[in-house]
Amino acid sequence: MNILIINAGSSSLKYQLYNMQTEEVLAKGRVERIGMDSSILTHEVDGTPEVREVSEILDHTTAIKKVLDMLVSRKFGVLRNIEEIEAVGHRVVHGGESFSKSVLVDQGVKLEIRKLFDLAPLHNPAHMMGITAVEANLPEVPQAVVFDTAFHQTMPPNSYLYAIPTVLYRKHKIRRYGFHGTSHDYVSKRSAEYLGLPLDNLKLITCHIGNGASCTAILNGKSFDTSMGMTPLEGLMMGTRSGDLDPAIVPYTINKEDLTLNEVNSMLNKHSGLLAISGISSDMREVIEAMNDGNEKAKLAFEMYTYRIRKYIGAYIAAMDGVDAIVFTAGVGENSDVLRKEVCKGLTFFGVQLDEKRNAVRSSEARRITTDDSKVSVLVVPTNEELLIARDTYRLVLEKQAADSSLL
Ligand code: AMP
């Protein structure tokens, strides 16, 4: 079965086409600048050079049409015809409390996603455009939605509630939801597989450290606590996001700087984090480079960033009364041995013995970077959110087919 995975943003759309028998990516690409002049479609088939097409793509429906045309094109395509796509899976950022697992799309599901627009105004409306665009182009093809928040729906109330009047939770569902759930879910499963131990008897701390960053405490295979909150602003320091701060800073800054609430919100989401402290970049590579060149602000930014990760790891070890493995993933977590070394420096008390040679190895495979006798394992596990979305979509479609055929 071939499954198309879509990650739709407001003016962009990424895609990957999977063959689920082999779990091979047949083609992948992205459409950028949707709704603007000179939209760009970039298409890649393994082993051949990237194709780039510039045209006017005014909406998501046209963007999907262009992608489908590319997938069946004689020159760059990988399919004989469009009927070879048997299902579509979408990434959806916010599933609120309505979705604790992936589901097939129907009218009820679309209605629920719409109700959650308020909680993820930048993401969920764009995902809905992606779903509608696929419906317009492939009306008969089943679609599934996989939510970033769903994995964290197992958190107990003492993890997900904020210590504010409970009427705010009852009326407006103000609570911790957590994000990057697809990634935390994927790497926790892969880590258990790598360790050869049952996931339902493991204490894991997964650190998804990319442009956005979050840590999750995973107890016996279930999310127990996570650092992002009602929105992806809380928790670790990130590329441009502040992460945790005293909420009283918001009204204080508004008064002192004569800013609006929206301006402060934008400051905390887009002009804080690594970018604000280093004054150089939100990209960890550039910050590390500047630090190595002796830049003091870059050094401080790196220290603040790694210190926060270490603090969360310590807190989650206490929360779970122990840890079997700490897992690094995503752009920074997978690629920066310098960052991993700095975070692990403060964890020797818990029994983490980093193996510097193993830590320095670059690889796209899951690997252990602690010594063989380290009490706690530290792993680097490349994340693959698209594969998890494809697997969930595949499972849901097969279940539906089995249910339909048992009714015949
Ligand atoms: P992601 O959001 O997972 O795609 O991660 C993107 C981030 O990974 C970028 O902002 C880079 O700062 C970071 N990154 C990629 N490679 C490296 C590296 N070798 N060292 C440090 N950071 C890296």
Side-chain angles (χ1 to χ4, degrees):
M1 186 187 293
N2 295 320
I3 295 186
L4 182 64
I5 303 305
I6 301 287
N7 183 353
S10 55
S11 65
S12 70
L13 183 153
K14 290 190 212 142
Y15 64 93
Q16 288 201 8
L17 181 70
Y18 273 90
N19 171 337
M20 291 315 291
Q21 272 73 35
T22 57
E23 293 195 337
E24 181 194 358
V25 177
L26 302 176
K28 63 180 174 183
R30 60 189 182 278
V31 184
E32 289 159 291
R33 299 177 54 84
I34 299 172
M36 299 172 218
D37 54 346
S38 318
S39 313
I40 306 160
L41 167 60
T42 314
H43 178 76
E44 198 187 327
V45 178
D46 206 17
T48 57
E50 226 178 52
V51 184
R52 220 164 162 266
E53 234 186 48
V54 179
S55 62
E56 191 179 59
I57 300 179
L58 288 179
D59 54 28
H60 286 62
T61 303
T62 316
I64 294 283
K65 168 93 177 57
K66 289 268 180 197
V67 169
L68 297 176
D69 288 348
M70 188 60 98
L71 290 171
V72 296
S73 88
R74 227 172 234 210
K75 208 161 167 199
F76 308 114
V78 288
L79 301 174
R80 277 189 303 271
N81 56 58
I82 230 55
E83 283 73 42
E84 290 185 33
I85 299 176
E86 289 183 69
V88 177
H90 294 266
R91 172 192 181 216
V92 175
V93 163
H94 222 305
E97 288 190 328
S98 313
F99 299 102
S100 56
K101 52 185 188 320
S102 309
V103 289
L104 288 175
V105 174
D106 60 18
Q107 290 305 332
V109 166
K110 284 195 285 185
L111 194 69
E112 281 304 316
I113 296 175
R114 278 185 206 286
K115 282 191 200 158
L116 297 164
F117 278 9
D118 260 3
L119 281 174
L122 298 179
H123 294 99
N124 275 24
H127 303 320
M128 187 52 93
M129 286 197 275
I131 295 169
T132 314
V134 171
E135 259 173 13
N137 282 282
L138 300 168
E140 303 301 326
V141 173
Q143 301 191 65
V145 275
V146 178
F147 301 92
D148 277 13
T149 50
F151 179 63
H152 300 299
Q153 278 297 300
T154 50
M155 285 188 291
N158 61 297
S159 298
Y160 72 67
L161 285 176
Y162 292 113
I164 55 177
T166 50
V167 64
L168 293 172
Y169 169 60
R170 285 200 306 277
K171 267 176 82 178
H172 305 296
K173 296 288 172 211
I174 295 177
R175 51 159 286 179
R176 176 185 312 286
Y177 290 98
F179 297 86
H180 295 142
T182 317
S183 176
H184 291 292
D185 187 5
Y186 177 84
V187 297
S188 64
K189 287 177 174 140
R190 183 72 193 92
S191 301
E193 205 176 81
Y194 177 86
L195 293 166
L197 296 167
L199 182 59
D200 59 9
N201 194 23
L202 271 182
K203 292 173 180 174
L204 296 175
I205 297 171
T206 48
C207 308
H208 177 110
I209 315 293
N211 209 6
S214 65
C215 279
T216 298
I218 302 176
L219 184 60
N220 305 331
K222 295 195 165 77
S223 174
F224 182 73
D225 201 355
T226 192
S227 59
M228 281 180 168
M230 185 178 97
T231 76
L233 180 58
E234 195 181 342
L236 302 175
M237 177 171 154
M238 305 177 218
T240 61
R241 285 172 248 170
S242 64
D244 292 337
L245 84 170
D246 181 346
I249 291 170
V250 174
Y252 193 81
T253 309
I254 288 174
N255 283 335
K256 290 285 177 190
E257 288 286 313
D258 197 19
L259 295 174
T260 65
L261 202 50
N262 276 344
E263 284 166 337
V264 174
N265 195 30
S266 166
M267 173 190 90
L268 296 175
N269 276 289
K270 297 184 185 151
H271 308 285
S272 297
L274 275 183
L275 177 65
I277 303 298
S278 71
I280 293 170
S281 172
S282 62
D283 189 311
M284 183 52 98
R285 277 169 297 201
E286 291 176 27
V287 173
I288 292 174
E289 237 174 73
M291 176 174 76
N292 291 341
D293 288 344
N295 184 304
E296 284 301 319
K297 284 202 243 165
K299 183 165 177 276
L300 176 62
F302 180 79
E303 284 169 357
M304 286 172 65
Y305 190 96
T306 47
Y307 177 66
R308 283 269 178 104
I309 302 172
R310 206 187 299 142
K311 269 210 308 194
Y312 264 97
I313 292 173
Y316 288 163
I317 292 175
M320 294 191 290
D321 192 12
V323 66
D324 297 302
I326 297 163
V327 188
F328 285 96
T329 194
V332 184
E334 288 169 33
N335 294 306
S336 179
D337 55 332
V338 183
L339 171 123
R340 295 191 299 258
K341 183 176 167 186
E342 185 64 21
V343 170
C344 290
K345 235 187 216 170
L347 302 175
T348 49
F349 174 79
F350 298 112
V352 170
Q353 296 296 333
L354 195 73
D355 182 317
E356 294 216 12
K357 274 202 188 126
R358 286 179 181 173
N359 185 38
V361 171
R362 286 191 146 264
S363 159
S364 57
E365 299 295 318
R367 59 200 183 277
R368 190 193 309 263
I369 57 168
T370 35
T371 59
D372 289 338
D373 56 357
S374 178
K375 189 173 143 209
V376 174
S377 294
V378 178
L379 309 180
V380 180
V381 177
T383 193
N384 194 341
E385 292 162 273
E386 291 79 11
L387 179 57
L388 193 136
I389 297 172
R391 283 178 180 167
D392 270 14
T393 305
Y394 187 44
R395 178 180 49 78
L396 287 166
V397 170
L398 290 183
E399 281 170 10
K400 169 96 171 40
Q401 286 173 351
D404 289 350
S405 67
S406 74
L407 288 176
L408 293 176

